[in-house]
Amino acid sequence: MRGVSSFRSTLSRAAVGALTGVLAAFTALAVAELVAGLVRPAAGPVTVVGGAVIDRTPSAVKDFAIRAFGENDKTVLQLGILAVLALVAVVLGVLALSHRRAAAAGVLLFGIVGSAAALSRPDSTGIGDALPSIAGALGGAVILYVLASQASPAATAVDGNRQAGAEGWNRRGFLAAAGVTAVAAASAGALGRYVTGRRGRGAVASRNSLALPPPSSPAPALPTGVQLRVAGISPFTTPNADFYRVDTALTVPRVDAGTWRLRVHGKGVTHPVTYTLDQLLARPLIERDITLTCVSNEVGGPYIGTARWLGVRLADLLREAGVRPPSQGGKADQLVARSVDGMTLGSPVEDVMDGRDAILAVGMNGEPLPFDHGFPVRMLVPGLYGYVSACKWITDIELTTFDTYDPYWVKRKWARRAPVKTQARIDTPRPFARPVAGTLTIAGVAWAQHRGITRVEIRIDDGPWQDADLAPQATIDTWRQWSRPWKATPGGHTITVRATDGTGQVQTEQRTRTIPDGASGWHSVFVTVP
């Protein structure tokens, strides 16, 4: 019986230690969130540590995360960080019951790690970014020490006014302190979220009040029939709410349009200039339908969409700054775009200035850019994958050379130059569908931005290639829908599709992964006809 009692006592003590650690961690995060709201929301410890993890994660692992979790990859990462913190907190809490100072030092060590991560971020504004992690660690260490003191035998009262547990510790005092800690931490966290929300209200108000001017060059009317009437096919124009989002921002930047600035400078720039949003909006705006594709899009993947964009011709801004493309003797062959969160993307100057509709976009499908998609301004270059062209929340354009500077993704072994590869996707029937026997429609989309699509073919099992019917091509910078009727017969069937671009190049069958310059290969689906 004594052994059973001792075992129960040990479990009870471990539970008390675990609760102590979790409450200390909760306090640390709450205090850090409050201070981050006062200093800079993006300097919060979970955000900066998460950003550091993303930066140091191998490209293959990042690619796996996008495939496995899609646009929820950042949520999974944050939950993973919190789970690790909770586990460490439990260990430190148990340790604190016998070694309070050592456990408190462990909490402070996490504060140092968070501070270092904050100061190492490319968007760090200085030593102030370390304050949230430092304040949170101090708060957590104090709470851990205090609660552990209440849970130790030395805290047992002998005056008869407080109850001591059978194990010889101040149970009533511990529970009271734990309750006060939980309430105080929750209040600090709620206040932090409120302060952070207020800081973002200016950005929200600036977007809500922004009236986009009409374009001086409207988008051509979409041809009749550009959207096929086939159930299950992707809409030609992707609604903003459904447009894919792939980036490294754990916290979506909320930039106030009134304070936003864009600096143009660098090699070959004879007239450096800084623009406000009002100055951009006062310029002639163009409106274009453009399809964007993420380089992380696997064959048949979802990370592609088409929108009607409104913006300023980027080439005009560059010429006014004195920039010339390399083909005309320009000194710079790479344009490095920087976002407010420190992301860098590199685009070939020649492509940006070759006459295509490269723009600094301010509008998307008839409204100001959503925050998720770069408000107030983002960059677009038709024909290039997003990681070398589509900088969101852009704030700086530097002209340089590919030999001089490697942007974010190039440092992680992605290609410097990345034109979009010709691809076709089957939207319907879906993989492993069970359509009934008889005539059904196979349909989907094909894309080869800035080259266009001239032919799509499908194949049933190992049969001959058959031409699909093409919807009208809106522009060479958009995807193109296609369809083909098929008389489905009972059994299992593999449907395969391939496309031909405007240069006459047939999509390659060779299957490659997304790294280093985009996936290739034919998309196929397997269906069973009962």
Side-chain angles (χ1 to χ4, degrees), residues 69-438:
F69 306 115
E71 296 182 24
N72 296 315
D73 58 335
K74 301 170 193 64
T75 301
V76 172
L77 173 60
Q78 290 174 312
L79 290 175
I81 291 173
L82 292 175
V84 170
L85 287 176
L87 179 61
V88 173
V90 168
V91 172
L92 290 177
V94 173
L95 175 65
L97 298 183
S98 54
H99 300 86
R100 292 195 294 274
R101 292 182 180 179
V107 177
L108 295 176
L109 179 61
F110 271 83
I112 294 174
V113 172
S115 299
L119 296 176
S120 70
R121 302 304 301 145
D123 61 335
S124 175
T125 58
I127 193 67
D129 284 355
L131 292 178
S133 294
I134 292 174
L138 288 173
V142 168
I143 291 301
L144 184 71
Y145 193 92
V146 170
L147 291 180
S149 297
Q150 292 294 326
S152 67
T156 304
V158 296
D159 59 6
N161 294 324
R162 297 193 302 184
Q163 274 190 344
E167 298 82 4
W169 58 281
N170 184 6
R171 179 175 299 173
R172 179 177 295 177
F174 173 82
L175 292 177
V180 170
T181 297
V183 172
S187 299
L191 181 58
R193 287 190 292 273
Y194 173 77
V195 172
T196 299
R198 283 191 62 86
R199 287 176 65 97
R201 287 182 184 177
V204 173
S206 70
R207 183 181 183 274
N208 291 340
S209 64
L210 182 61
L212 296 176
S216 59
S217 175
L222 293 176
T224 301
V226 72
Q227 174 68 57
L228 297 180
R229 296 182 178 180
V230 178
I233 198 170
S234 302
F236 177 82
T237 299
T238 310
N240 289 355
D242 298 332
F243 210 94
Y244 77 90
R245 178 197 164 203
V246 177
D247 53 53
T248 63
L250 287 178
T251 301
V252 174
R254 297 205 167 210
V255 182
D256 191 317
T259 61
W260 176 85
R261 298 292 185 271
L262 173 68
R263 180 186 177 209
V264 181
H265 63 107
K267 196 176 184 68
V269 176
T270 59
H271 306 292
V273 62
T274 299
Y275 291 98
T276 66
L277 182 60
D278 286 341
Q279 288 172 326
L280 287 188
L281 295 177
R283 299 177 63 91
L285 302 181
I286 67 170
E287 183 183 58
R288 296 292 184 267
D289 295 302
I290 299 173
T291 297
L292 295 188
T293 310
C294 180
V295 73
S296 294
N297 200 42
E298 294 281 355
V299 172
Y303 302 125
I304 180 170
T306 299
R308 176 159 288 188
W309 307 93
L310 177 71
V312 177
R313 287 188 185 275
L314 180 53
D316 291 348
L317 298 183
L318 297 178
R319 290 191 182 94
E320 291 175 15
V323 178
R324 291 181 296 166
S327 62
Q328 298 177 16
K331 297 179 180 180
D333 60 6
Q334 179 179 211
L335 180 156
V336 175
R338 289 182 174 85
S339 73
V340 295
D341 65 349
M343 173 56 66
T344 56
L345 307 182
S347 308
V349 174
E350 196 69 48
D351 290 351
V352 172
M353 302 185 73
D354 68 359
R356 72 184 72 192
D357 291 320
I359 63 175
L360 293 177
V362 296
M364 180 180 182
N365 289 333
E367 64 178 80
L369 292 171
F371 287 108
D372 281 356
H373 297 291
F375 180 85
V377 181
R378 72 173 299 170
M379 191 172 115
L380 304 172
V381 183
L384 303 182
Y385 282 116
Y387 85 100
V388 293
S389 67
C391 184
K392 296 189 283 189
W393 315 294
I394 188 171
T395 188
D396 186 273
I397 292 176
E398 180 182 2
L399 280 298
T400 182
T401 64
F402 284 105
D403 291 337
T404 301
Y405 183 81
D406 286 340
Y408 182 91
W409 291 110
V410 176
K411 292 177 182 176
R412 289 154 180 81
K413 309 304 181 184
W414 293 80
R416 286 185 172 89
R417 301 171 187 268
V420 175
K421 296 180 179 180
T422 302
Q423 287 282 298
R425 184 182 73 195
I426 300 168
D427 284 349
T428 183
R430 306 294 293 175
F432 307 111
R434 297 179 63 83
V436 297

Side-chain angles (χ1 to χ4, degrees), residues 13-52:
R13 294 283 290 165
V16 169
L19 179 59
T20 297
V22 169
L23 285 174
F26 181 34
T27 300
L29 291 176
V31 171
E33 183 171 5
L34 174 57
V35 176
L38 297 171
V39 176
R40 195 171 72 92
V46 174
T47 299
V48 296
V49 171

